[in-house]
Amino acid sequence: MFARLALCSRLPSRIRQSNAFLVSIRAFSQAKFSLPRPHGKSFAHRSELKQAKRIVVKLGSAVVTRGDECGLALGRLASIVEQVAVLQNQGREMMIVTSGAVAFGRQRLRHEILLSQSVRQALHSGQNQLKEMSVPVLEARACAAAGQSGLMALYEAMFTQYSTCTAQILVTNLDFHDEQKRRNLNSTLHELLRMNIVPIINTNDAVVPPPVPNSDLQGVNVISIKDNDSLAARLAVEMKADLLIALSDVEGLYDSPPGTDDAKLIDIFYPGDQQSVKYGSKSRVGIGGMEAKVKAALWALQGGTSVVIANGTNPKVTGHVIADIVEGKKVGTFFSEVKPAGPTVEQQTEMARHAGRTLASLHPEQRAEIICCLAELLTEKKEEILNANRRDMELASASGLFSQPLINRLSLSTAKLNSLAIGLRQLSVSSRDSVGRVLRRTRVANNLELEQITVPIGVLLVIFESRPDCLPQVSALAIASGNALLLKGGKEAANTNRILHQLTQEALSIHGVADAIQLVSTREEVEDLCRLDKMIDLIIPRGSSQLVRDIQRAAKGIPVLGHSEGVCHVYIDSEASIDKAIDIVRDSKCDYPAACNAMESLLIHRDLLRTPIFDQIIDMLRTEHVKIHAGPRFASYLTFSPSEVKSLRTEYGDLECCIEVVDSMQDAVDHIHKYGSSHTDVIITDNEDTAEQFLQQVDSACVFWNSSSRFADGYRFGLGAEVGISTARIHARGPVGLEGLLTTKWVLRGEGHTVADFSEQGSMKYLHENIPIPQGSFN
């Protein structure tokens, strides 16, 4: 064994980095890491991986090499080096266990052999025409000897771009069995880490003997170094590493061979679960397989090192896979010794989908009965609910982490619970006319009839901040529409959400479908939930504009229903009634300023400036303690104006608003289209023609005339409840109630019909006759 300290050098001219690779790491200098922790016990949860200080990254052969196995995947390797360098410069101690010397050497030797053959042929034949040349089978040890120096030079050049030094260490199995060599190795690695150098470790494949069959992992103190998986595990435990990241060419560990129909990625793997896993063949290169990785991972876990096995070859994630793992995101398979008390979120989703199908098959009267039962429980158990809510309010206020508008949304009252119960009873009536309703019936041909009927969407994921009253509303809508539901509430409302979910499941249990609605209470991050595209059919965010935007960005392949902002306008026309204007503006802004349908911008016709109506509106806002921000045009009219608005697209969510001046109704419409969020916009005028033009031209989900913006609500619209307000232009728009949670399917009933029957030579003709649908017709 030998250790060679590689001096940092300039990038060789034969290697050039792309602009994407040349990312300055200075941006990360403010995120220095300094969280030492005692070694000996692995992390129990992914979220704790952020505390990992000493990290071993194992790069499998399939990660480092190209698909043709002759040469290295340079772009992939560059992105991995970038992530390791960034983590190193944050103050972590990074080590790399790498494959690739054999592939690099094979490429080099093939080139030399072909070149040698071509020269010999040219000398012997004296002609320019060369015979077809063949390359002999190259012995792996020779390839490793030829490729190791080039592999190290490549790493050295890449890390130099980040002002990071590297060192090469080659080891064999014997180095771990010789106590003196083992101590020397340990001492060398510690000294390199102390000097902020990244050790790059590989098996010395030029001299290492072939792996011995059945030389398996035999305990905490003995491990056979037969591949880089076992080498990485041994080094991680020897060096007391906090985390081992093993990158391969699969997403992680599956319960059956990847590619089979029923294969499912295992999010968390626990010791003792080996019997539930069926292993497939090993990767295209390398001498290990998934079974070897799992055994090595469990050995490292037993030694106190946390392990994640993930895909390092997927171009969609390679550029951030290591960083995502260290951030605690749900990537690959995490090995943990601590089993959670309840089901995983994947198991919860499966349970919800299964019970949701039963829920959808219930008679409408049965679903209505469940909703009525929930309404009764809200009033019967109101003291327990309010006590839990008071605990949440006290904790939120004491923490100092939440803004006042957020704390206001958290509050429940007897009046709110009564209002919720009324809304749920109203919804129970409309739920009788939901799932299975026939929308269209067509006679396609004789004895061939087609129906379009309403059906549930499937599994809904609703993510909400504060506002625990949203839980029974959304639950009731899911019950009415026959949808399964996953709920992810904010930790600030944990106690209230817990009891409300218990009451919901109590109501569902009267017809044996308690599992149809699940409350996600694990440490799952929102971004991880948004990646469950094969399990969740629709995401509905309820909360701040930032939450909605984050979910829209994070959702991969799952539709998101909602609005990112509630920048609602009230326009006071030159022909507005003073009494209507004052009442509507007061209600729109002051009734509940934290609501998404509260007024944020007040547009005033230019002719109203310095008139009694203008003065009275300003006086009313001041009386209500509303902070006024002046728009650019409004500020230009004033000698001493309020603070000028920073942005005309601001959603304040508090007793604040912007005032701006417009020249006409059309000017107001143009302003709304430019700065609004397509949520709710209002005109106050006594001129019917002006009002109708406004109602027709404004392209928002809700457009009102002489009425408060606060009416934009499912309950106030008579929908019973809503899952939110959508500003999208497809599927559902405005307050989304029962109808917005249904989709359709087509049912065709025939008697042996075939398309060939309707060809030119066929005996049948299309009729396409609409069949009248009796009111209340169900499939």
Side-chain angles (χ1 to χ4, degrees), residues 584-600:
I584 291 171
V585 171
R586 178 191 288 114
D587 191 75
S588 295
K589 180 70 258 184
C590 307
D591 175 66
Y592 188 17
C596 65
N597 57 11
M599 181 194 79
E600 304 294 3

Side-chain angles (χ1 to χ4, degrees), residues 193-393:
L193 294 176
R194 187 187 68 80
M195 293 189 292
N196 200 32
I197 293 171
V198 177
I200 298 178
I201 305 118
N202 196 358
T203 52
N204 192 352
D205 292 326
V207 299
V208 73
V212 179
N214 303 321
S215 60
D216 230 327
L217 316 181
Q218 302 165 22
V220 174
N221 298 316
V222 181
I223 182 172
S224 174
I225 307 299
K226 57 183 181 178
D227 53 38
N228 275 344
D229 294 313
S230 50
L231 170 61
R234 181 63 182 259
L235 277 170
V237 174
E238 288 279 343
M239 295 298 295
K240 295 181 171 57
D242 300 308
L243 173 62
L244 167 60
I245 299 174
L247 298 182
S248 183
D249 58 351
V250 292
E251 301 301 324
L253 179 60
Y254 287 79
D255 56 1
S256 56
T260 57
D261 290 339
D262 297 326
K264 293 181 181 178
L265 180 65
I266 298 173
D267 173 37
I268 305 177
F269 189 80
Y270 306 98
D273 285 354
Q274 297 96 311
Q275 303 302 321
S276 63
V277 177
K278 298 178 182 177
Y279 298 101
S281 58
K282 70 181 186 68
S283 64
R284 57 178 173 81
V285 289
I287 59 175
M290 185 54 73
E291 187 171 8
K293 289 176 176 57
V294 171
K295 289 180 178 178
L298 291 173
W299 190 89
L301 187 69
Q302 189 179 359
T305 297
S306 296
V307 183
V308 175
I309 296 177
N311 192 337
T313 63
N314 187 338
K316 294 181 179 179
V317 300
T318 299
H320 48 82
V321 60
I322 298 173
D324 285 351
I325 290 170
V326 176
E327 280 295 307
K329 295 181 180 177
K330 187 175 286 190
V331 179
T333 299
F334 172 61
F335 286 72
S336 174
E337 295 183 296
V338 180
K339 277 200 170 187
T344 66
V345 68
E346 289 84 1
Q347 291 170 332
Q348 283 186 290
T349 308
E350 288 291 345
M351 292 161 60
R353 185 180 291 279
H354 179 75
R357 287 173 177 151
T358 305
L359 174 67
S361 68
L362 294 177
H363 191 276
E365 294 292 339
Q366 293 174 305
R367 288 194 295 273
E369 188 180 351
I370 294 172
I371 298 171
C372 286
C373 178
L374 178 56
E376 294 299 324
L377 288 170
L378 289 178
T379 53
E380 288 176 13
K381 306 286 186 178
K382 66 180 178 182
E383 289 305 321
E384 295 177 38
I385 298 169
L386 294 176
N387 286 337
N389 186 244
R390 275 191 288 272
R391 287 198 299 274
D392 286 330
M393 293 281 289

Side-chain angles (χ1 to χ4, degrees), residues 621-635:
L621 291 174
R622 285 174 176 165
T623 301
E624 297 288 345
H625 306 290
V626 176
K627 183 177 180 180
I628 297 173
H629 302 275
R633 289 197 61 191
F634 181 44

